[in-house]
Amino acid sequence: MKILKSFKFFIVLVLFMSILTPLKAVEASDTISVKLRNYLGNKTSIPVSVDGTYRVKGANNRLAGANRFEVAVNVSKDGWTSSNTVFVSNYMAFADALSATPFAKEKNAPILLTHKDNLTAETQAEIRRLKASEVYIIGGTGSISEKVGSQLKAMGLSVTRIGGADRFVVAQSIAQKMGPKGSAIVANGLKFPDALAIAPYAASKGYPILLTKDNSLPTATKNALGANNTTNTIVIGGTGSVSANVYNELKGSKMRIGGSDRYEVSTNVIKQLNLPTDSAFVATGLTFADALTGSVLAAKNNAPLLLTRPTSLPGTVQNLISSRYIPKFTVLGGTASVSQSVMDQLPSNLKLNPDSTYYVKKSDGNLYLYEGSKLVVSFGNREFSLSPAAYGTSNKITINNTRDYLGEILFTHEGNYIRPVNVNIPFEDYLKGVVPREMPASWHLEALKAQAVAARSYADSYSKVTLIDDTINYQVYGGYDWHPNSTAAVDQTRGKKMYYGSSSVGVNAVYSSANGGQTVDDGDEWSPGKTGAPYLKSKADSFDNYKWTLGWFKNQIDLTGKDLTRPQDWWTSISEKGGPNYYQDTTNYPLYNAISIGTLKNWIKTQGYENTDIKLTRILEFTASPIKDGSQRSRTAKISVEFLVKNLDGSYVMELDKDTNKNEIKKNVITKELPIKDFKTIFGYTYFRSYFFDTPVNNSDVYVIKGKGFGHGVGMSQHGAQARAQAGQSYDQILKFYYDGVTIK
């Protein structure tokens, strides 16, 4: 399948748009999704704002891993770019770690997991990433051996072990480290769910978590309560977890948060303490590790922790989520801990504030959404969408502070960059964003209608393309930058396309800015020697009178009086002339361009002079082949240029002059006969506007090209369409001239 090369430019005297690039001949679609590239470029941070109602789809995040060690590491990575302190706990021994969360939060430290007798590789690597200098080992040597302690010391860490004869003493020791707080949490130390459900709250308040047996209050816990000056106690769990006797033994003000099971307890923590629910964490209630390591991150985010069954969301949890309208969730653990079906039951209703500026950022392969400088959602390596409450002009989204779009924007990865995609745009609305970008909206309505039908016909080729973009590789799409004139043109030709016989013109509905008075046979342009479409033949176009000139001085740098043996004395003080300041034939060829010497020098560098500094001294020759194709276009030309070279290391390319017998700077010469299309690169697309030009004028001091047209010249001329419309032709008459033999229906 041939790919048609095209380009688009703005000019000073007349705004215009140019050629589109067909890719595949396929069928039409009701909607189109477009990658946003043309007006955005490659970004790792994109400002976003909204008008109306937009919500985040995919706001729910899963922090998973191949095992519980990796889950802990990914929790750490999500919450900490660095940390002076880390906590390390045995991955199997929940009892020691139950009380660690408040102290870890106080130290702003993640909790990592390890094997008893060997420091886990994942944990070791994460400690290095965090650049930690101290570590707290939670539990005695029965939980984490001295060998692990030695391994941590070998990493240069200051190691503190918080141990004890049993879990109750460990909890007491942690409370001592935190100091008197006046309030405390009491939970069953033989079961983990209740303590985990309260852990984020306890950590955010700085309250120690003390442990008890179900029917008796251990001495260590009594002592800790006394040393803590506890006057207020929150007991977690029903009487099956903490008996009435234990509850009554507690001094001062107290309250119980219970429930029929561990899942209801986690919801009642939120209800009875009236916790904020801007977001929530979710973990399995059947194992402790994910909830333990995630509890510090939950506290850091001021979010509660809800417990769930691995494969079904408990009814009490569902009711709590619905009643509190919780908008986003972080799921702890992989699908074996919390299945995808459970995650799919969690709503994702995070609403964007129309008064805020958000930023989508990519870092370390992950996507993040910020509100100002505040992190809102971490998506990991997942894509996500910003979606309107309903498609329409009352809801719009602004990307990069420059361009508005309707509908949903999907943020995807593209290499190291963020690539937004405007998803499922209604076909006619897509055209409303295309037509004013491809033809000035101030032009005659009939010309705009012709452009709308051509653009619609060409877009017929999109539906089987996986994803188009907003550049000239397809058609330039400007989003919701509509104009009343072009919108009227789209609406008044709604659904109309060009057909040749029973087949859609599709990919052959090409157009260019101007043909200069002679359309181009598509076979000449893209497949020389081959027969093209029967309706894209070369013929005279009396309504297209677009002309241009291109000129430059033959002598660019005068070396007279320069010591050629010492180029370092004058190199930085000389520069090229460029093009002449005027050209006398401004009546017949009004669009004048002096050549861009920079593009010519860049081309020279591609001829074996990369990483050098070039000074262009003379243009020795530029001649076009007198042989023209059936569309009156030259297809080859010859150029010869003289130039000087300075190397990257500061040395100059020199040679021995035979006349003076001195080592002088070399006057290098390149002479090339090339396909005419290559001169677009050599002279610059803005300057070398078409292949339709007369034999270059060779004056005494300048070369001048008198050219006609802008672009490839195949199909509809936009300038010709405008002139025909101004002369009274209708859009279908315009199209039937440029696409001979087509029908419009």
Side-chain angles (χ1 to χ4, degrees):
M1 184 64 66
K2 67 187 177 185
I3 297 177
L4 310 185
K5 301 294 184 182
S6 61
F7 56 91
K8 174 182 177 183
F9 306 101
F10 292 92
I11 61 174
V12 175
L13 299 178
V14 183
L15 289 174
F16 61 91
M17 308 294 172
S18 80
I19 320 98
L20 45 92
T21 307
L23 292 195
K24 299 182 181 180
V26 291
E27 301 168 3
S29 174
D30 292 333
T31 62
I32 287 177
S33 296
V34 185
K35 284 185 180 181
L36 306 183
R37 187 188 310 279
N38 191 50
Y39 298 102
L40 180 64
N42 296 323
K43 304 284 186 182
T44 56
S45 178
I46 302 173
V48 174
S49 57
V50 300
D51 282 342
T53 302
Y54 268 81
R55 298 185 184 276
V56 183
K57 288 175 62 176
N60 296 340
N61 187 24
R62 183 190 289 273
L63 298 175
N67 52 50
R68 59 187 64 188
F69 307 108
E70 286 191 8
V71 173
V73 166
N74 287 331
V75 167
S76 175
K77 287 180 176 178
D78 194 75
W80 290 266
T81 56
S82 63
S83 179
N84 183 63
T85 307
V86 294
F87 281 56
V88 174
S89 178
N90 186 310
Y91 79 108
M92 294 287 287
F94 73 84
D96 290 336
L98 282 179
S99 302
T101 297
F103 189 36
K105 171 63 168 57
E106 188 174 283
K107 302 291 287 186
N108 191 22
I111 298 176
L112 302 174
L113 303 177
T114 185
H115 290 99
K116 173 187 174 184
D117 294 316
N118 196 49
L119 185 61
T120 310
E122 297 94 332
T123 298
Q124 191 170 359
E126 179 61 6
I127 291 172
R128 288 197 175 98
R129 185 193 71 83
L130 291 167
K131 298 181 175 62
S133 60
E134 67 172 354
V135 58
Y136 284 90
I137 295 176
I138 305 300
T141 55
S143 292
I144 297 179
S145 67
E146 290 291 1
K147 179 184 176 182
V148 172
S150 297
Q151 290 174 319
L152 291 165
K153 289 177 182 177
M155 294 175 65
L157 296 165
S158 170
V159 178
T160 301
R161 183 187 293 273
I162 303 178
D166 56 31
R167 64 195 67 189
F168 308 106
V169 177
V170 171
Q172 178 190 19
S173 299
I174 292 173
Q176 288 174 344
K177 291 283 186 183
M178 295 176 65
K181 301 295 183 182
S183 297
I185 308 296
V186 173
N188 190 309
L190 304 178
K191 305 171 185 176
F192 63 81
D194 294 341
L196 291 177
I198 196 66
Y201 170 79
S204 64
K205 292 294 187 180
Y207 299 161
I209 298 176
L210 300 171
L211 305 179
T212 183
K213 298 176 182 178
D214 53 0
N215 287 313
S216 62
L217 194 63
T219 300
T221 302
K222 291 179 183 178
N223 293 337
L225 289 167
N228 186 53
N229 298 328
T230 303
T231 57
N232 178 55
T233 307
I234 300 174
V235 174
I236 303 301
T239 55
S241 295
V242 180
S243 68
N245 290 334
V246 171
Y247 183 82
N248 292 332
E249 193 174 346
L250 298 171
K251 308 298 184 183
S253 174
K254 53 197 174 186
M255 69 178 294
R256 181 192 292 273
I257 302 176
S260 59
D261 56 25
R262 62 192 65 188
Y263 311 110
E264 187 175 25
V265 169
S266 70
T267 65
N268 287 339
V269 166
I270 296 171
K271 291 178 181 178
Q272 290 185 231
L273 296 173
N274 195 28
L275 300 185
T277 50
D278 296 330
S279 66
F281 281 58
V282 177
T284 177
L286 300 186
T287 57
F288 80 96
D290 297 339
L292 168 67
T293 56
S295 61
V296 188
L297 182 60
K300 192 177 175 75
N301 286 278
N302 198 27
L305 177 64
L306 291 167
L307 301 180
T308 182
R309 300 183 185 94
T311 58
S312 64
L313 195 63
T316 52
V317 176
Q318 291 185 51
N319 293 337
L320 185 280
I321 290 171
S322 297
S323 64
R324 288 299 189 104
Y325 302 103
I326 303 177
K328 66 171 182 171
F329 299 84
T330 299
V331 174
L332 300 169
T335 54
S337 297
V338 179
S339 68
Q340 187 60 43
S341 63
V342 169
M343 189 169 182
D344 291 342
Q345 292 180 61
L346 300 172
S348 178
N349 295 316
L350 181 62
K351 184 178 178 182
L352 299 187
N353 182 358
D355 297 324
S356 294
T357 298
Y358 293 82
Y359 294 88
V360 179
K361 297 186 178 183
K362 182 167 184 178
S363 177
D364 298 325
N366 297 319
L367 292 178
Y368 303 89
L369 180 66
Y370 286 82
E371 183 177 5
S373 60
K374 176 187 175 184
L375 178 63
V376 178
V377 186
S378 170
F379 297 95
N381 61 5
R382 296 176 297 122
E383 302 173 347
F384 74 96
S385 293
L386 301 181
S387 183
Y391 180 88
T393 57
S394 60
N395 297 306
K396 65 180 181 180
I397 183 168
T398 304
I399 304 293
N400 205 36
N401 296 324
T402 56
R403 196 157 293 274
D404 296 335
Y405 297 89
L406 301 182
E408 181 176 335
I409 300 291
L410 171 69
F411 292 91
T412 70
H413 300 267
E414 188 173 76
N416 295 323
Y417 305 107
I418 305 164
R419 184 57 57 207
V421 180
N422 200 180
V423 177
N424 295 330
I425 313 152
F427 189 82
E428 295 294 313
D429 282 1
Y430 165 74
L431 293 174
K432 292 173 185 176
V434 166
V435 174
R437 305 279 68 73
E438 295 287 358
M439 178 179 280
S442 61
W443 282 13
H444 197 285
L445 180 60
E446 292 302 307
L448 291 168
K449 287 160 72 173
Q451 178 67 64
V453 174
R456 186 182 292 108
S457 301
Y458 177 72
D460 220 9
S461 64
Y462 291 172
S463 66
K464 291 183 182 177
V465 179
T466 304
L467 194 62
I468 67 169
D469 62 34
D470 59 351
T471 71
I472 57 173
N473 290 330
Y474 297 89
Q475 295 183 94
V476 177
Y477 169 65
Y480 184 47
D481 188 9
W482 297 357
H483 189 282
N485 294 352
S486 50
T487 295
V490 173
D491 287 339
Q492 291 178 29
T493 62
R494 187 175 187 86
K496 292 187 177 182
K497 294 178 288 188
M498 290 185 287
Y499 291 82
Y500 190 76
S502 60
S503 299
S504 170
V505 169
V507 73
N508 289 319
V510 292
Y511 49 88
S512 67
S513 179
N515 60 43
Q518 184 78 28
T519 66
V520 176
D521 186 295
D522 69 329
D524 289 340
E525 178 65 17
W526 293 300
S527 303
K530 295 184 179 180
T531 302
Y535 45 86
L536 294 176
K537 297 302 179 186
S538 179
K539 59 181 177 180
D541 182 4
S542 61
F543 282 85
D544 189 327
N545 197 33
Y546 185 96
K547 297 177 181 180
W548 53 273
T549 59
L550 174 66
W552 62 97
F553 288 106
K554 292 180 180 180
N555 295 313
Q556 289 292 322
I557 293 176
D558 184 4
L559 295 177
T560 303
K562 299 289 189 296
D563 184 350
L564 301 185
T565 67
R566 293 184 56 80
Q568 63 270 25
D569 293 344
W570 43 263
W571 184 269
T572 57
S573 65
I574 62 172
S575 59
E576 294 83 1
K577 286 185 178 180
N581 294 324
Y582 66 93
Y583 182 65
Q584 60 186 3
D585 192 4
T586 56
T587 301
N588 294 321
Y589 289 83
L591 295 176
Y592 170 75
N593 280 277
I595 190 174
S596 170
I597 295 299
T599 57
L600 180 54
K601 290 166 69 174
N602 287 338
W603 172 76
I604 293 173
K605 290 185 178 183
T606 67
Q607 306 303 301
Y609 296 91
E610 292 83 357
N611 300 317
T612 64
D613 188 11
I614 297 290
K615 295 289 188 183
L616 184 60
T617 52
R618 290 191 298 164
I619 299 174
L620 303 173
E621 180 182 1
F622 180 73
T623 54
S625 169
I627 301 174
K628 297 180 183 290
D629 60 25
S631 302
Q632 301 183 30
R633 267 65 171 174
S634 296
R635 289 298 163 181
T636 63
K638 184 178 179 181
I639 188 169
S640 183
V641 293
E642 179 188 274
F643 58 97
L644 314 177
V645 178
K646 180 181 179 182
N647 294 315
L648 190 62
D649 62 4
S651 65
Y652 297 87
V653 175
M654 311 287 283
E655 68 176 356
L656 185 66
D657 186 280
K658 294 180 180 179
D659 295 330
T660 65
N661 202 32
K662 293 181 179 180
N663 207 31
E664 299 180 348
I665 192 165
K666 182 178 181 179
K667 297 174 182 177
N668 305 273
V669 174
I670 285 181
T671 301
K672 292 276 188 178
E673 183 166 3
L674 300 167
I676 199 72
K677 63 182 179 62
D678 290 355
F679 287 89
K680 284 184 180 179
T681 302
I682 294 173
F683 294 149
Y685 286 92
T686 304
Y687 304 97
F688 195 81
R689 296 185 168 175
S690 77
Y691 309 153
F692 192 12
F693 57 89
D694 300 328
T695 300
V697 177
N698 185 356
N699 292 337
S700 59
D701 59 345
V702 296
Y703 282 110
V704 176
I705 296 176
K706 296 181 178 182
K708 303 172 186 178
F710 198 161
H712 53 59
V714 182
M716 184 178 73
S717 160
Q718 293 171 316
H719 280 80
Q722 168 70 350
R724 289 174 181 275
Q726 289 174 326
Q729 292 188 19
S730 63
Y731 78 92
D732 54 341
Q733 290 175 312
I734 294 170
L735 292 170
K736 288 176 181 178
F737 172 81
Y738 289 111
Y739 309 92
D740 194 18
V742 302
T743 57
I744 301 167
K745 56 185 179 181

